[in-house]
Amino acid sequence: MVIMPISQTAPMLLTRNLLYTGMTRAKKLLIIIGNKNIIDFMIKNADNKKRNTGLLYKLEKLEGGNIALNR
């Protein structure tokens, strides 16, 4: 069961991918709590931005530079 509260927040966080992830994690029951207009916005917001997390840099430092990742 997944309970997914959706509230007004920065538009860059209200993406179709986030909604899809919540829906696909629910095996038997999905409860979405939120404003229908926000959910409609998420459905239409298919904007995928490149994420600059710095994860690769952190992993390389952690492993002493001995990490091979597909870039």
Side-chain angles (χ1 to χ4, degrees):
M1 177 171 78
V2 172
I3 300 173
M4 192 170 183
I6 298 174
S7 62
Q8 184 63 46
T9 188
M12 66 182 285
L13 300 175
L14 297 173
T15 64
R16 181 187 304 179
N17 283 350
L18 179 64
L19 185 60
Y20 176 81
T21 299
M23 293 175 75
T24 57
R25 295 302 186 266
K27 301 300 180 199
K28 294 187 179 191
L29 178 65
L30 170 65
I31 299 171
I32 299 176
I33 301 169
N35 182 304
K36 184 180 179 328
N37 293 333
I38 297 172
I39 296 167
D40 288 342
F41 176 83
M42 291 177 79
I43 292 168
K44 295 173 188 167
N45 186 10
D47 189 19
N48 290 327
K49 302 250 188 258
K50 182 179 182 311
R51 300 173 89 183
N52 295 313
T53 63
L55 180 60
L56 180 58
Y57 173 79
K58 293 171 186 170
L59 287 172
E60 287 174 341
K61 289 294 185 186
L62 182 68
E63 295 293 324
N66 297 325
I67 191 163
L69 296 175
N70 294 334
R71 293 183 190 201

